[in-house]
Structures are given as C-alpha cells and as structure tokens.
Amino acid sequence: MVRILVLLLSATLVLSACATPPSQVGTDGRPLPKIYKIRSGDTAEIQFRMLDSVNSLRQAGGRSPVKLDAKLNAAAATHSRDMSVQNRPWHFGSDGSSPIDRVARVGYPGTLVGENISETFETELETLAAWMDQPHTRAVILDPAARDMGFAWLQEKNGKIWWTLVMGR
C-alpha cells in the first residue's frame, strides 16, 4: 500500500513538472510588462540609443538629424522629476511652468520645438515606438525645424519611469 502511494505521489510530481508555465500574456493578448531597471551608469548609453533611433526615424522621413544638447537634457530631467513628484504625466510643472519656461530656465539659446512625455514601465525604445504611433507626438519627433534633442527620465523604486523628450532649434 505504501509502495503504491509513493508511486502515485512520484507520478503526480513528474506530471506536474510537465505542466505549462502560467501565461505571460495579459487579457488584451499582449505580453505582460517586465520591469525595465535602469542603473545609474546607463545614462549615456540610453540617451545615445534614443538619439540614434530618433535620427534613424528622422532620416527615413527625409529630415535632418538632431544632436543631444546638455541644456535640453537638463530641462527634460527637471520635468521628469517634477512629473514623478506630481504623480501625473502632463506638460506643466508643479510651479505652473510650461515646456517653454523650462527650456528658457536652463539657458537654452534656441526655441522649443516640442516636448513628449510618458509614464510607463517600458524601455526607451518601446516608449519611442508608442510616441511614433500617435500623430501629435510623432510630429514632435519628426519636426523638420528640430536641430537639438534633450532626453531624460526618472525611475521610481517600483520601476515606473517618467520619460521626457524635448526638441529644440
């Protein structure tokens, strides 16, 4: 009797090991998000990966390339931090500042072309793809007047990322 019980238990364990893992797809049929963890030393790599991707899209659209601008990066970083504090993605700062105000505050000598923002757990390239899917954010990325780009983010401990892309001329 004990021998049969051990055999049944062993068979149950073997069969349970053969079971398929739980689905990694959400109810909408899309893959469940994974936390994209950004390390402190990844800043330059992420910014240049975004710059290269934006310039590839701009080239495909017949636009001239943009270059990273430290002042626009600072304006983008300030806004990403502020959106996190406010816990909402929108273009106005907690002090009422607009994207134009933030670009002026950092001493950018040109003018603002546009700003894209996002609150997500996705990578910068997934975020860029989402921006390209929307006409108004796509227009900012492909604006023929743009010559400079700023790109920054703030990642919270829970993994949520507040992305900001600023285009200037």
Side-chain angles (χ1 to χ4, degrees), residues 51 54-55 57-59 62-69 72 108 110-116 137-150 165-169:
L51 177 67
V54 164
N55 280 333
L57 292 166
R58 289 178 62 82
Q59 181 182 18
R63 310 302 195 284
S64 59
V66 294
K67 62 181 178 13
L68 273 178
D69 182 273
L72 292 181
Y108 179 68
T111 57
L112 175 76
V113 169
E115 176 183 77
N116 288 343
T137 51
R138 179 185 182 92
V140 170
I141 293 164
L142 298 180
D143 192 309
R147 297 291 175 260
D148 300 312
M149 181 182 99
L165 179 136
V166 181
M167 300 294 260
R169 66 170 185 253

Side-chain angles (χ1 to χ4, degrees), residues 12-46:
T12 303
L13 288 174
V14 167
L15 290 175
S16 68
C18 294
T20 57
S23 175
Q24 298 297 312
V25 177
T27 56
D28 61 357
R30 300 183 76 191
L32 292 174
K34 297 176 186 168
I35 293 182
Y36 175 55
K37 192 66 180 156
I38 300 172
R39 297 173 306 199
S40 60
D42 292 344
T43 300
E45 180 183 336
I46 291 170

Side-chain angles (χ1 to χ4, degrees), residues 25-132:
V25 177
T27 56
D28 61 357
R30 300 183 76 191
L32 292 174
K34 297 176 186 168
I35 293 182
Y36 175 55
K37 192 66 180 156
I38 300 172
R39 297 173 306 199
S40 60
D42 292 344
T43 300
E45 180 183 336
I46 291 170
Q47 284 178 324
F48 282 107
R49 185 168 42 239
M50 180 62 96
L51 177 67
D52 289 345
S53 298
V54 164
N55 280 333
S56 292
L57 292 166
R58 289 178 62 82
Q59 181 182 18
R63 310 302 195 284
S64 59
V66 294
K67 62 181 178 13
L68 273 178
D69 182 273
K71 291 180 179 178
L72 292 181
N73 285 343
T78 297
H79 193 53
S80 291
R81 230 178 351 266
D82 194 45
M83 285 190 296
S84 173
V85 168
Q86 295 182 72
N87 196 32
R88 65 177 170 178
W90 74 324
H91 293 282
F92 293 94
S94 55
D95 61 355
S97 63
S98 71
I100 295 169
D101 297 329
R102 289 188 295 278
V103 166
R105 283 181 188 165
V106 297
Y108 179 68
T111 57
L112 175 76
V113 169
E115 176 183 77
N116 288 343
I117 58 173
S118 180
E119 168 196 19
T120 184
F121 290 87
E122 296 178 326
T123 70
E124 68 279 2
L125 298 182
E126 290 169 319
T127 301
L128 178 59
W131 285 335
M132 291 301 288

